[in-house]
Amino acid sequence: MRKKITLSLFLVLFLIASKISAQSTTGIKYPAGIHQATSSGLKISPNPLVFAQTTNSSVIIGCTSATNGLFPSNTITPNCSGNYETITSQSYAGEYSNVNVIANKQYSFSSSVTNDYITITNGTGTIIYASGTQPVIWDSGSTTGVIRYYLHTNANCSSEQVNRSRYLRCADASNCVPPSNLVVSNVTSNSCKIAWTAASPVPSSNYDIYIVTTNNAPDANSTPTLFSTTNLSTSISLNVAAGTTYYYWIRSNCGSTTGSWISGGNFTTPPALTCNGASYGLYPDATFTPTCTGNPQQIVADAYAGEYSNVNVVANTQYTFFSSVSSDYITVTNALGNTILASGTTPLNWVSGTYSGTVRYHINTNASCGTQNTNRVRYIQCMGLPTCGVPSNLVLSNITSNSCRLTWSPPATTPTGYDVYLSTVNTAPVSGTAATYTATGTFIASLNPLTASTTYFYWVRSNCNGTKSNWVSGGSFTTLTPLTCNGAIYGLFPAATFTPSCTGNPEQIVNNAYAGEFANVNILINKQYTFTSSVTTDFITITNEGGTGVLASGLTPLTWNSNFTGVIRYHINSNANCGTQASSRVRSITCATPTGCNTPLEPYTDGVTSTSINIGWFAATPVPSNGYIYCYSTINDPFSTGAITGTTTETYAVLNNLSPNTTYYFWVKSNCGQTQTDWISGGSFTTYSASGCNAPTQLYYDGLTSTTNNIAWVAPTPAPSNGYVYCYSTINDPFSTGAITGTTTETYAVLSNLSPNTTYYFWVKSICGNTQTDWVSGGSFTTYSATGCNAPTQLY
């Protein structure tokens, strides 16, 4: 039994707990979680609007049935203050209310349920005055007395015993005609589009929009939360919060007067899933229907990362979604965007199964849902499922300079084998294309021999006793740059990463290793590792986990002192020419705490100019008691006449007074008091010419406050002709999104409008006409908190 509710005033005082700052330069004020899409590249077309509009024609259809009767039982008399009033919050569809009306007033009838259908009749229900999907606006003219206010779920006069609020507004008849046909579309986890039919006549100023997360209707004095850009606008695109219900109203703004607020009802954004947002909205507006001939089809050539397209799909079909940007990340959802059907890096394969209808096809720059308003081509390819099922989940791993591992998942019915096609050209194979490799299982342990520093494209298909499935693309990969024996034609063995116990005793990894394989080993910082093969002539190479940097190499046994914790690759070859041999040998390792006087590691250079450079290295373990000796010379011999030496207790040194456009060699060794290690070569470097473009040096900062800082540097020689570019960011990357840059001809810059208690990184580079140097890092600084002790500014 529902509690009977008497008329209560629906007066909303929109209390603002704190001032809402204006966004960008448009003067728009947004509530929490909402902002207007600001990208100038946003591409949105108006959608068709479906809305039953109130009409003044002599014949008006409507719904005058009331299976749930009269509710409330008393007749409602609105106060005609111009504000919305709630008749009841427990109304059913299939009821009517009696309302006293007076002449020459404008009445607005609405429901809390967006699609409810409203009919207004005379007191006996025999004459229909107005009807349509809520809200319905009706001018009483000469009518006075009781009218009936019917509510149904649709124009078919359906009933529903579910509570909804029934609203009413009475005001003086206004010449500021409201918009109609309010519609929300393209709702994602972070964006939506609101559209309406323009008022007639068009308001002289614009449209006011009121959007909040609570169902509190605005009154005539409420401050709009958004504004349309012009009086000709009939839509607006917003960025919103995920998993949130919004309520919204729109009114005409005629300058000196405003019209009635018209409710659009409410909408709820989907929860935040795997990149199901679209800050740039839907594009193109039309739903794309692929022809499923097996050939790629272009949807658009100017897609953005952060957009989605609607695509019609059919059941039992294989779809491939791909972007022209090879690193883009794709997400496919159902039509409402609240269920992820597939996601992954382009190209993305998905079998529709029993699903048919519309899907959303999202593109982002990466798995973190990055956005980018630069053009890329959006493609799709589809084909019917063959009787021989396709493999899926193609994965490349263990990439070296001459090999890699490929795995995949089998189809529901396991085939007799698989074909693999590998190519350096991104041209998809056809049914008659011969396989590059074949396999009976779901992997190839080592695809070889491959060419170093080369990009390959690959496809896999099933072979069902001679019946072949369609080729499935796995995308592309690039082999490593060739270093000192960082290839492995026999791949990774064993598959598990080995963790030595570090007792100082030798430990066997395997007794059936090949020359031309590598093993992964977990290592700890500040340990001494000895790598040993049972074949005394074998050559060993130690690289980082990705195989992109050689840490040590030499004949077995090879000793290396670690300077980090992580994973390394432990390669064995038969000789220093990276020879291979498919015969077993024992692969061993010894881990111990280092003692004695050990050499520094991995010398390197940075910050070269025409007359100076910084050299550095990683500390020896243990750290030598008397620091380090460094040496540099124009002759590749640390004992040559004219070689210059120096000492330091740091792990770096600055070499000054160098000759421009000159090649130097440098070395470093540990100094342990009475004992010194051998020289370790850092290779060579060449200084810039005196007329070249040299980078600034000695970056520093001073004058730090909670919101400002001064950064400065020392000019190179010669000074750059066009000054300097400086950059700062809260992310340690000058190319990061949000990084701020500026230019100056001085050797300093003032950074303003910083956030309190925030860490920033900064960089500077020289501009020499059409040439620029690399960024030079100045490190980081942290602004003071807003309540801290801050320095005065603007001295004069």
Side-chain angles (χ1 to χ4, degrees), residues 653-668:
V654 180
L655 310 186
N656 292 308
N657 301 315
L658 305 177
S659 299
N661 197 28
T662 302
T663 297
Y664 288 86
Y665 304 85
F666 76 100
W667 303 263
V668 111

mmCIF file of all heavy atoms in Angstrom, residues 653-668:
data_model
loop_
_atom_site.group_PDB
_atom_site.id
_atom_site.type_symbol
_atom_site.label_atom_id
_atom_site.label_comp_id
_atom_site.label_asym_id
_atom_site.label_seq_id
_atom_site.Cartn_x
_atom_site.Cartn_y
_atom_site.Cartn_z
ATOM 1 N N ALA A 653 83.095 12.390 -13.893
ATOM 2 C CA ALA A 653 84.076 13.471 -13.981
ATOM 3 C C ALA A 653 83.714 14.344 -15.168
ATOM 4 O O ALA A 653 83.130 13.871 -16.150
ATOM 5 C CB ALA A 653 85.493 12.916 -14.131
ATOM 6 N N VAL A 654 84.057 15.637 -15.076
ATOM 7 C CA VAL A 654 83.825 16.586 -16.167
ATOM 8 C C VAL A 654 85.160 16.863 -16.834
ATOM 9 O O VAL A 654 86.120 17.286 -16.175
ATOM 10 C CB VAL A 654 83.186 17.896 -15.648
ATOM 11 C CG1 VAL A 654 82.961 18.859 -16.813
ATOM 12 C CG2 VAL A 654 81.882 17.608 -14.923
ATOM 13 N N LEU A 655 85.227 16.612 -18.125
ATOM 14 C CA LEU A 655 86.449 16.881 -18.894
ATOM 15 C C LEU A 655 86.292 18.219 -19.599
ATOM 16 O O LEU A 655 85.374 18.402 -20.410
ATOM 17 C CB LEU A 655 86.688 15.763 -19.918
ATOM 18 C CG LEU A 655 86.619 14.311 -19.390
ATOM 19 C CD1 LEU A 655 87.022 13.333 -20.493
ATOM 20 C CD2 LEU A 655 87.492 14.130 -18.164
ATOM 21 N N ASN A 656 87.170 19.183 -19.297
ATOM 22 C CA ASN A 656 87.087 20.532 -19.862
ATOM 23 C C ASN A 656 88.290 20.806 -20.752
ATOM 24 O O ASN A 656 89.238 20.012 -20.839
ATOM 25 C CB ASN A 656 87.028 21.570 -18.737
ATOM 26 C CG ASN A 656 85.728 21.486 -17.953
ATOM 27 O OD1 ASN A 656 84.656 21.500 -18.537
ATOM 28 N ND2 ASN A 656 85.827 21.397 -16.633
ATOM 29 N N ASN A 657 88.233 21.963 -21.396
ATOM 30 C CA ASN A 657 89.340 22.449 -22.237
ATOM 31 C C ASN A 657 89.699 21.465 -23.350
ATOM 32 O O ASN A 657 90.863 21.285 -23.715
ATOM 33 C CB ASN A 657 90.582 22.743 -21.381
ATOM 34 C CG ASN A 657 90.288 23.779 -20.318
ATOM 35 O OD1 ASN A 657 89.654 24.807 -20.600
ATOM 36 N ND2 ASN A 657 90.725 23.526 -19.086
ATOM 37 N N LEU A 658 88.673 20.785 -23.869
ATOM 38 C CA LEU A 658 88.893 19.889 -24.992
ATOM 39 C C LEU A 658 88.955 20.688 -26.291
ATOM 40 O O LEU A 658 88.461 21.824 -26.376
ATOM 41 C CB LEU A 658 87.766 18.855 -25.065
ATOM 42 C CG LEU A 658 87.524 18.028 -23.797
ATOM 43 C CD1 LEU A 658 86.329 17.086 -23.998
ATOM 44 C CD2 LEU A 658 88.771 17.244 -23.421
ATOM 45 N N SER A 659 89.529 20.086 -27.315
ATOM 46 C CA SER A 659 89.606 20.738 -28.632
ATOM 47 C C SER A 659 88.341 20.445 -29.423
ATOM 48 O O SER A 659 87.861 19.303 -29.419
ATOM 49 C CB SER A 659 90.824 20.233 -29.411
ATOM 50 O OG SER A 659 92.019 20.535 -28.717
ATOM 51 N N PRO A 660 87.767 21.464 -30.097
ATOM 52 C CA PRO A 660 86.557 21.215 -30.897
ATOM 53 C C PRO A 660 86.825 20.212 -32.016
ATOM 54 O O PRO A 660 87.933 20.079 -32.509
ATOM 55 C CB PRO A 660 86.217 22.605 -31.452
ATOM 56 C CG PRO A 660 86.899 23.575 -30.541
ATOM 57 C CD PRO A 660 88.157 22.883 -30.101
ATOM 58 N N ASN A 661 85.770 19.506 -32.390
ATOM 59 C CA ASN A 661 85.800 18.595 -33.539
ATOM 60 C C ASN A 661 86.974 17.613 -33.450
ATOM 61 O O ASN A 661 87.691 17.384 -34.418
ATOM 62 C CB ASN A 661 85.861 19.394 -34.844
ATOM 63 C CG ASN A 661 85.487 18.541 -36.046
ATOM 64 O OD1 ASN A 661 84.727 17.578 -35.919
ATOM 65 N ND2 ASN A 661 86.033 18.864 -37.196
ATOM 66 N N THR A 662 87.153 17.030 -32.262
ATOM 67 C CA THR A 662 88.284 16.132 -32.022
ATOM 68 C C THR A 662 87.778 14.852 -31.379
ATOM 69 O O THR A 662 86.924 14.884 -30.490
ATOM 70 C CB THR A 662 89.329 16.803 -31.111
ATOM 71 O OG1 THR A 662 89.773 18.010 -31.733
ATOM 72 C CG2 THR A 662 90.513 15.883 -30.865
ATOM 73 N N THR A 663 88.321 13.711 -31.799
ATOM 74 C CA THR A 663 87.959 12.425 -31.207
ATOM 75 C C THR A 663 88.885 12.120 -30.035
ATOM 76 O O THR A 663 90.111 12.206 -30.158
ATOM 77 C CB THR A 663 88.051 11.305 -32.248
ATOM 78 O OG1 THR A 663 87.096 11.557 -33.294
ATOM 79 C CG2 THR A 663 87.744 9.938 -31.621
ATOM 80 N N TYR A 664 88.271 11.779 -28.896
ATOM 81 C CA TYR A 664 89.014 11.401 -27.683
ATOM 82 C C TYR A 664 88.614 9.983 -27.271
ATOM 83 O O TYR A 664 87.507 9.526 -27.555
ATOM 84 C CB TYR A 664 88.665 12.358 -26.530
ATOM 85 C CG TYR A 664 89.242 13.743 -26.666
ATOM 86 C CD1 TYR A 664 88.570 14.735 -27.382
ATOM 87 C CD2 TYR A 664 90.454 14.075 -26.052
ATOM 88 C CE1 TYR A 664 89.097 16.020 -27.496
ATOM 89 C CE2 TYR A 664 90.985 15.363 -26.160
ATOM 90 C CZ TYR A 664 90.299 16.324 -26.882
ATOM 91 O OH TYR A 664 90.813 17.586 -26.993
ATOM 92 N N TYR A 665 89.533 9.327 -26.561
ATOM 93 C CA TYR A 665 89.285 8.033 -25.942
ATOM 94 C C TYR A 665 89.402 8.205 -24.433
ATOM 95 O O TYR A 665 90.162 9.063 -23.958
ATOM 96 C CB TYR A 665 90.289 6.992 -26.434
ATOM 97 C CG TYR A 665 90.301 6.842 -27.937
ATOM 98 C CD1 TYR A 665 91.080 7.687 -28.732
ATOM 99 C CD2 TYR A 665 89.529 5.875 -28.569
ATOM 100 C CE1 TYR A 665 91.084 7.571 -30.118
ATOM 101 C CE2 TYR A 665 89.523 5.752 -29.962
ATOM 102 C CZ TYR A 665 90.301 6.611 -30.720
ATOM 103 O OH TYR A 665 90.293 6.500 -32.080
ATOM 104 N N PHE A 666 88.635 7.408 -23.664
ATOM 105 C CA PHE A 666 88.768 7.554 -22.210
ATOM 106 C C PHE A 666 88.682 6.191 -21.524
ATOM 107 O O PHE A 666 88.126 5.228 -22.067
ATOM 108 C CB PHE A 666 87.720 8.528 -21.664
ATOM 109 C CG PHE A 666 86.326 7.994 -21.552
ATOM 110 C CD1 PHE A 666 85.825 7.546 -20.331
ATOM 111 C CD2 PHE A 666 85.479 7.929 -22.662
ATOM 112 C CE1 PHE A 666 84.537 7.055 -20.217
ATOM 113 C CE2 PHE A 666 84.192 7.452 -22.557
ATOM 114 C CZ PHE A 666 83.717 7.005 -21.330
ATOM 115 N N TRP A 667 89.279 6.154 -20.312
ATOM 116 C CA TRP A 667 89.349 4.930 -19.519
ATOM 117 C C TRP A 667 89.117 5.279 -18.056
ATOM 118 O O TRP A 667 89.258 6.424 -17.633
ATOM 119 C CB TRP A 667 90.732 4.268 -19.647
ATOM 120 C CG TRP A 667 91.126 3.943 -21.047
ATOM 121 C CD1 TRP A 667 91.017 2.759 -21.682
ATOM 122 C CD2 TRP A 667 91.731 4.836 -22.006
ATOM 123 N NE1 TRP A 667 91.494 2.822 -22.959
ATOM 124 C CE2 TRP A 667 91.947 4.102 -23.201
ATOM 125 C CE3 TRP A 667 92.114 6.180 -21.981
ATOM 126 C CZ2 TRP A 667 92.529 4.655 -24.333
ATOM 127 C CZ3 TRP A 667 92.678 6.737 -23.105
ATOM 128 C CH2 TRP A 667 92.880 5.975 -24.274
ATOM 129 N N VAL A 668 88.810 4.262 -17.260
ATOM 130 C CA VAL A 668 88.617 4.457 -15.830
ATOM 131 C C VAL A 668 89.082 3.199 -15.116
ATOM 132 O O VAL A 668 89.012 2.095 -15.688
ATOM 133 C CB VAL A 668 87.133 4.773 -15.559
ATOM 134 C CG1 VAL A 668 86.426 3.696 -14.835
ATOM 135 C CG2 VAL A 668 86.920 6.029 -14.868
#
